Each structure stands twice: as C-alpha cells, then as structure tokens.
C-alpha cells in the first residue's frame, strides 16, 4: 500500500540540513566549548528527545495519584493502562496514556535526584513542563507575585539573570525590582547588606540565582533573609543544577520555597526547565501558571529526554563528572592566576570562572575588553562568552570573559589540561594590542594579536582537542576550524602549491599583502612578487595569477601550510599586520582554498 509517511533519512531527504548538522557536530568537537551554560547532551537523551513523543499533544498533567508512585508503579503498563481506560484523566486530549507515564517518570526521577536528606521524593512537587528557564521564572512570578509587587534580585551586571527583573524582560516590566550587589572589595555576596536591604525594601519575593556568579551561596542565609521580611524565596539554580543533583553544590530544595532550573546546562539534558516546591499549595499555583497560564502543549519529547537525564544524574559516573567539573574550574582559575591574570570574585567553587580582560592587555590607554577577547579566543578554538563583572557600567561593554568547564570535562580533560588552556589563553591575549574604533553612535573596543602567539595558542588548543573524547568521527571536509594547516610539507622546493583567493575583497586583500598589485593585471596574466609577513618582512616569493573573478597564488610548497594560516589569520582580521600599529588592517574577508602542489612548468 502506498502511504505518505515520508520515509527516508535526513541525508537523503535534505542533504543541506544534514551537512549543516555534520558541520555543527564537527565544530562542537574541533573546538573546546567553554560556554558556561552549555554541555554535551548524551546521545541517549537526544534519542529520547528525537522520539515519537514529539508527535503528541498533552495539555494538562498526569493523574495526581501518579505523583507519589515509585518508578516500578509508574512503569507497570498493564495497571496504568487499566486505570487510564477506566478513569477520566486531567489531560485535554485522548491518546496520552504513555505521555502520562513518561511525565510521571520524569517527575519521580527529578524528585529523587533533588530530594534533600530528611525528605522523601513524594514530598517534592516537580513540574517538568516549562519550555525554558525564562518561562519557568515567569511562571513563578505569575503564580506568586502580583504585577507591581517588589522583588529583590542580584544586579544583572554582578551576575544576575535577565529573567530576574531586567528592565528589558517582562519580569522587569511587570514588577518593581530592587537589586542586591556583591561587595565591591570581596566581590562576594554580602548577606548582611542583603538583610538590611530586605528589611528596608520588604520585597514580596527574593531570588537567589546567578548566571555569572561562580561562588556557591549559603541557602540558609537566603532563607533567614526571606523569613525576616516575609518574602517568598526562589532559588534559580539553572547553571548549577547538575552539580546540586550530584551533591557538589548546595541543594536549595527544602530550604527555598521554590527551586527553578534549566535542564541543559550542568544537568546535560534537553533544553527545558523544571520548577520544584515542597509546598502543595504553591505547587498548585505553579502548575496553573505553567499550564494554562503561560504555555499550551508541553513538549513531551523533551519530557522523555528529562526522564533519561534524571536517571543519568543519579549515577556514580555523573557524580564523579560533576566533581571533576568543579575541580577543573578551580584548576582553570589557578592557571589564570599563575599567568598573572585576574580571576574575578576571588576564584570559583562551581563550574564557572570569570576573567577580567582589562587586566590582561592595554595599548595607548585602551584596555582589552570582553567582546573582542572572546572573538580572539574563538580563533584559537576556545569558545567562551563576554560577560559583565562588578565595576562594569554598561551591559553592552562587558570587560570580562566567562568560562565553564562542563563540556571539556565531559570530554575527559583534567586539571593539567585546564592549566594548558589557561596558558594558551594568556599567551594569545597578553599579545593583544587593543584599540578603539568610532562607530555611528558608540565606540567599539577592538584588538589585534601577535600572529606567532595566535598560532602557538591555537596549536596548543588543537593538541588538547585531538586528545579529548569525541563521540563520532567527522568528515575531514567539514572541519574548517582546524585552520592551522599541519600536513607535513614533503614537496620539494621545485614544486609550488596553488591557492585560490576568492571573494569580493580578494583583489584588495592581495594588494595589501603582496608587494605588487595583481588586481591591475588583465585576467589570465600573472606576476612574480613578494608575500609580506609580519612587519612587512618577505615571507615568500610567490606568483599571483588574475583569474578574473578570483586569484591563484603560487607559493613554495614547503611554506604553503604556514602561508595558508597567515592569509587566513589576516583575512579573519585579529592579527597584527604591522606589529606596532593595530589600526592597520587588511581588507577582507577572503576564502583561501588549497588546490594542491604542482610541478613548476617553467
Ligand atoms: N544564556 C544563559 C547563560 O548563558 O547564562 C542563561 O539563560
């Protein structure tokens, strides 16, 4: 019988998307991903997420009695189906018998993973439906705080989160917001000052939650502050949920009224969020706020992924991983300090390290800033993000970098490797010469680095990348991130390697990097000239051929790898062309394609 099930795998049906997936996969393993909010979701969890639970609408919640069932009871399919057939359920559509089981399973396992000592999982109310952390937090506001009421949260510039009352976020538009800050000298939370603020401001809710504060809080102190002013306490442990489940970070469940977290950071699950409370009355309000208050159908495929994730989170292997993540972050911070770089907040006891860039390099009074530093490190295959730190005045001009160690730890890197990452970071960033560029309405902070330092740092990172674990072999054609050509140049000096230089700016690029200008040649003509290196020294004698739309550069094969890296670095634009002046730039970008070695014909 013919049907319309549209069979076929991705590569057959949509090779373009399949290719992009492969490229992204390669990027994730050809670089060291140190975005503190990211991790590598295990294949088993992704399989659950990609399952047919994707197809189902299940507005509502599983039967209340399932909340207190243990895993065996939840998975007793005969009993569950018999109950389901005979009883009405709380969902709006039929066809949700297995959705009920998968959601109850995720809730139960979540309760087990976050059950504090002295409590039982049945005492925890776990909502696994929020689609993201921001929506989870909005649901808490919606459930427990009237519009216009006051909330007290950490200043965003000091490590708070958008959904904790940023004026740009609905939470900030909806509520009056007062911010506590870290102590200027210690850069740590100041509980006494927070207590004074809470008693003065009398907020309806206090949020203890951090997106870039790397020090574990004292939840009992938060509790005492909330109690002193009669506030609800929300603990948002989005970043550290995996560590909390593993006992490596203090678990607020049972102390805070509400705990929220995303499930895809250190927890390494699907992109989603969870809200937990031990208060049945609050639980009812939270459930209503999530659905139907803010959301429609839950993403049951993600709920399936969460069930698997919470199972993994209770394994000894996961606990060992989380301990190593924290140990690695401490080692990274120590490595930065040993290189003379300033680690903000005096260190870390989580997965996260904040690095003050202003202390790393200055040129003509212009400091190195976070944005350009993150772009330079991306060239060296370290992926991290710019971040504000105490002292910053403007969220659009952060002066720091934020690193997380979850993903690199998953790949098996250890403390010694973290020192190497710190060394490579210091090497390239210390060579930076910052400068500013006046844009229409603002000043952009820029910088260029020394080519040799960039090459050496990238080589060191590539060495770590090569030894770190990966879960799939990648097609070499999809690996542009390994940009330092390292094929051993075995060709004799009599051979040349042909490079294609293409792109709108190819002519201008070559005009800048060669002693003679090939863009003035007629198509098909060529010239022999000099390729400039750093400080405009002669790097190589080359031949440039104008092909009309693009150019061919004949370079000595023995030097080809180095030349490709040099041209690529100049095109990317972070490399000093003239070591003394970072303002001197080379037009670009261009693409550089290696056509291989040829025998010289004349
Ligand atoms: N974007 C996340 C982070 O990086 O901290 C928070 O939502």
């Amino acid at each position: 019988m013919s049907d319309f099930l549209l069979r076929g795998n991705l590569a057959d049906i949509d090779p373009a998307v399949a290719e992009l997936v492969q490229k992204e996969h390669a990027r994730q393993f050809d670089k060291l991903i140190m975005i503190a909010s990211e991790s590598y979701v295990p294949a088993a969890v992704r399989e659950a997420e990609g399952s047919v639970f994707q197809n189902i609408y299940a507005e509502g919640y599983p039967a209340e009695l399932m909340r207190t069932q243990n895993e065996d009871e939840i998975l007793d399919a005969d009993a569950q189906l018999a109950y389901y057939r005979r009883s009405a359920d709380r969902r709006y559509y039929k066809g949700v018998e297995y959705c009920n089981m998968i959601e109850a399973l995720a809730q139960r396992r979540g309760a087990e993973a976050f059950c504090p000592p002295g409590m039982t999982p049945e005492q925890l109310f776990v909502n696994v439906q929020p689609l993201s952390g921001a929506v989870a937090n909005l649901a808490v506001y919606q459930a427990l705080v009237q519009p216009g009421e006051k909330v007290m949260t950490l200043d965003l510039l000091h490590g708070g989160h958008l959904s904790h009352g940023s004026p740009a976020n609905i939470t900030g538009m909806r509520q009056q917001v007062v911010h506590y800050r870290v102590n200027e000298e210690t850069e740590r939370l100041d509980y006494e000052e927070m207590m004074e603020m809470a008693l003065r401001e009398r907020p309806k809710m206090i949020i203890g939650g951090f997106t870039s504060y790397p020090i574990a809080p004292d939840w009992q102190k938060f509790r005492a502050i909330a109690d002193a002013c009669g506030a609800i306490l929300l603990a948002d442990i989005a970043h550290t949920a995996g560590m909390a489940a593993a006992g490596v970070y203090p678990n607020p469940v049972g102390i805070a009224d509400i705990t929220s977290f995303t499930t895809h950071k250190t927890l390494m699950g699907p992109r989603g969020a969870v809200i937990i409370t031990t208060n049945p009355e609050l639980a009812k309000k939270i459930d209503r706020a999530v659905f139907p208050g803010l959301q429609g159908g839950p993403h049951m495929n993600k709920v399936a992924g969460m069930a698997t994730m919470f199972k993994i989170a209770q394994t000894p292997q996961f606990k060992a991983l989380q301990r190593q993540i924290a140990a690695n972050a401490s080692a990274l911070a120590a490595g930065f300090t040993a290189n003379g770089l300033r680690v903000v907040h005096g260190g870390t006891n989580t997965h996260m390290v904040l690095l003050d860039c202003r202390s790393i390099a200055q040129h003509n009074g212009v400091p190195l800033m976070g944005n350009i530093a993150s772009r330079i490190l991306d060239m060296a295959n370290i992926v991290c993000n710019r971040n504000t730190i105490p002292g910053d005045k403007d969220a659009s001009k952060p002066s720091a970098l934020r690193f997380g160690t979850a993903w690199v730890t998953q790949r098996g890197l250890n403390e010694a490797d973290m020192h190497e990452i710190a060394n490579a970071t210091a090497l390239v960033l210390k060579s930076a010469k910052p400068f500013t560029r006046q844009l229409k309405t603002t000043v952009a902070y820029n910088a260029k680095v020394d080519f040799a330092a960039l090459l050496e740092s990238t080589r060191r990172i590539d060495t770590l990348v090569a030894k770190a674990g990966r879960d799939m072999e990648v097609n070499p054609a999809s690996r542009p991130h390994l940009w330092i050509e390292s094929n051993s140049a075995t060709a004799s000096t009599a051979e040349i390697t042909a490079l294609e230089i293409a792109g709108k700016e190819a002519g201008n690029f070559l005009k800048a990097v060669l002693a003679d200008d090939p863009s003035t040649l007629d198509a098909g003509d060529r010239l022999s000239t000099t390729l400039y290196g750093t400080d405009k020294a002669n790097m190589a004698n080359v031949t440039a051929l104008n092909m009309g739309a693009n150019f061919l550069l004949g370079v000595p094969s023995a030097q080809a790898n180095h030349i490709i890296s040099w041209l690529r670095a100049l095109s990317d634009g972070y490399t000093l062309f003239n070591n003394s002046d970072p303002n001197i730039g080379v037009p670009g970008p261009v693409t550089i394609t290696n056509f291989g070695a040829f025998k010289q014909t004349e």
Side-chain angles (χ1 to χ4, degrees):
M1 178 187 137
S2 77
D3 60 38
F4 296 97
L5 287 170
L6 309 174
R7 291 175 179 80
N9 62 29
L10 185 61
D12 294 334
I13 290 186
D14 191 345
V17 169
E19 174 70 14
L20 283 177
V21 170
Q22 196 180 40
K23 283 187 194 301
E24 172 59 15
H25 201 143
R27 185 195 68 85
Q28 293 185 8
F29 283 95
D30 283 343
K31 297 188 173 211
L32 296 182
I33 311 293
M34 302 191 78
I35 303 284
S37 47
E38 293 179 359
S39 58
Y40 191 70
V41 177
V45 174
R46 286 185 281 128
E47 200 178 324
E49 280 190 88
S51 72
V52 290
F53 276 112
Q54 151 74 37
N55 301 338
I56 302 307
Y57 258 114
E59 288 101 326
Y61 292 99
E64 169 60 25
L65 65 88
M66 296 182 87
R67 199 188 61 75
T68 50
Q69 290 178 339
N70 64 31
E71 183 156 334
D72 287 345
E73 290 165 333
I74 292 167
L75 293 175
D76 182 345
D78 286 345
Q80 293 293 354
L81 295 187
Y83 174 84
Y84 178 79
R85 288 191 298 268
R86 188 176 171 90
S87 311
D89 72 313
R90 299 200 289 170
R91 308 272 195 189
Y92 284 70
Y93 300 168
K94 301 318 296 174
V96 292
E97 48 270 57
Y98 297 111
C99 285
N100 287 341
M101 291 169 68
I102 202 80
E103 185 165 345
L105 187 65
Q107 291 174 300
R108 175 71 189 193
R109 288 177 175 171
E112 286 169 356
F114 285 89
C115 189
M119 294 190 88
T120 62
E122 294 76 30
Q123 293 175 276
L124 273 59
F125 297 79
V126 182
N127 189 312
V128 294
Q129 293 193 7
L131 301 178
S132 73
V135 174
N137 286 343
L138 185 57
V140 177
Y141 282 89
Q142 173 74 8
L144 306 177
V145 195
Q146 293 298 313
E149 284 183 327
K150 197 178 278 180
V151 297
M152 179 171 143
T153 77
L154 180 60
D155 190 328
L156 270 60
L157 294 173
H158 287 206
H161 188 248
L162 189 73
S163 66
H164 298 173
S166 158
N169 185 261
I170 185 162
T171 52
M173 300 172 196
R174 195 181 185 279
Q175 312 300 147
Q176 261 190 79
V177 182
V178 287
H179 286 309
Y180 55 94
R181 297 183 171 80
V182 299
N183 179 287
E184 273 177 21
E185 265 169 41
T186 63
E187 297 182 319
R188 299 282 175 105
L189 291 177
D190 185 334
Y191 294 100
E192 280 178 26
E193 205 177 289
M194 286 160 62
M195 177 67 96
E196 280 170 26
M197 177 180 262
L199 291 173
R200 190 172 66 244
E201 299 286 350
R202 299 261 155 205
K204 180 75 187 292
M205 182 162 80
I206 295 176
I207 303 181
F210 323 106
T211 193
S212 56
Y213 178 70
I215 308 297
D218 184 333
W219 292 123
Q220 291 297 358
K221 288 191 175 156
F222 266 98
R223 178 76 268 164
I225 293 167
D227 286 345
C229 66
I232 295 158
L233 177 60
L234 164 62
D236 177 351
I237 55 166
H239 266 269
T240 46
M243 312 184 94
V248 180
Y249 184 86
N251 181 7
V253 174
I255 303 172
D257 300 293
I258 309 279
T259 298
S260 69
F261 53 86
T262 48
T263 46
H264 48 271
K265 296 186 175 101
T266 53
L267 206 42
M268 298 162 188
R271 301 196 77 83
V274 167
I275 304 172
I276 299 180
T277 180
T278 50
N279 179 324
E281 290 312 310
L282 295 188
K284 280 191 204 126
K285 292 182 180 175
I286 295 285
D287 283 354
R288 273 200 302 275
V290 173
F291 173 82
L294 289 169
Q295 295 185 178
H299 294 182
M300 293 311 300
N301 54 323
K302 293 196 199 174
V303 171
M306 279 185 199
T308 304
M309 167 205 75
F310 281 132
K311 178 176 176 148
I312 291 171
Q314 293 177 68
T315 60
Q317 199 186 11
F318 185 83
K319 291 177 185 176
L321 162 63
Q322 297 292 334
R323 281 194 296 276
Q324 189 60 42
I325 288 171
N328 277 354
S330 295
L332 183 68
F336 286 144
T337 306
N339 276 286
L341 312 187
R342 190 179 91 79
V343 172
V344 191
H345 305 285
T348 178
N349 54 14
T350 62
H351 64 304
M352 188 190 286
V353 179
L354 276 296
L355 181 63
D356 182 353
C357 294
R358 289 169 307 188
S359 66
I360 301 177
Q362 289 221 350
H363 182 64
N364 291 341
V366 179
L368 183 65
M369 297 295 277
N371 182 31
I372 187 66
S374 70
R375 292 171 65 179
I376 290 166
L377 287 187
D378 196 23
M379 295 301 107
N381 288 338
I382 299 172
V383 186
C384 61
N385 69 279
R386 61 181 188 254
N387 220 101
T388 60
I389 51 172
D392 281 342
K393 302 278 178 279
D394 180 351
S396 72
K397 291 191 175 54
S399 62
L401 290 171
R402 186 184 68 162
F403 296 82
T405 53
W407 193 319
V408 290
T409 308
Q410 287 180 279
R411 295 184 68 186
L413 299 188
N414 60 22
E415 287 92 334
D417 302 320
M418 298 304 120
H419 277 274
E420 182 65 353
I421 294 170
N423 293 342
T425 301
L427 177 64
V428 67
L429 293 187
K430 278 181 173 177
S431 81
K433 285 196 169 153
F435 63 105
T436 52
R437 189 155 281 161
Q438 184 63 47
L439 303 179
K440 263 191 199 144
T441 54
T442 184
V443 169
Y445 284 87
N446 212 322
K448 288 202 171 81
V449 295
D450 176 56
F451 178 57
L454 178 61
L455 267 193
E456 176 59 18
S457 294
T458 311
R459 247 184 220 119
R460 289 181 181 200
I461 296 305
D462 288 352
T463 303
L464 291 179
V465 161
K467 81 166 195 178
R470 59 173 64 236
D471 72 349
M472 114 178 190
E473 285 316 312
V474 178
N475 171 3
S478 297
R479 305 179 74 182
H481 316 107
L482 300 185
W483 62 278
I484 296 185
E485 294 279 327
S486 56
N487 302 330
S488 56
T490 49
S492 82
T493 47
E495 287 179 336
I496 57 163
T497 290
L499 309 180
E500 183 204 43
I501 313 294
K504 232 169 45 202
E505 291 291 335
N508 290 330
F509 176 82
L510 288 174
K511 184 177 171 183
V513 304
L514 299 176
D516 300 285
D517 179 6
S519 61
T520 58
L521 298 174
D522 290 334
D525 283 355
R526 68 176 144 184
L527 58 80
S528 291
T529 184
T530 292
L531 170 67
Y532 291 136
T534 311
D535 278 336
K536 292 205 166 184
N538 179 356
M539 180 177 272
N541 295 319
V542 301
T543 312
L545 172 63
N546 189 331
M547 305 276 287
N550 54 11
F551 296 83
L552 281 186
L553 208 57
V555 306
S557 293
Q559 285 170 270
N561 290 337
H562 191 67
I563 289 172
I564 291 169
S565 301
W566 169 239
L567 296 178
R568 161 77 195 265
L570 287 179
S571 166
D572 290 343
Y574 303 97
T575 302
L576 286 159
F577 186 42
N578 177 332
N579 268 342
S580 61
D581 187 354
N583 286 291
I584 295 177
V586 173
V590 297
T591 58
I592 300 145
T593 308
N594 187 347
F595 282 174
F598 298 90
K599 286 270 180 223
Q600 222 146 6
T601 52
E602 45 183 319

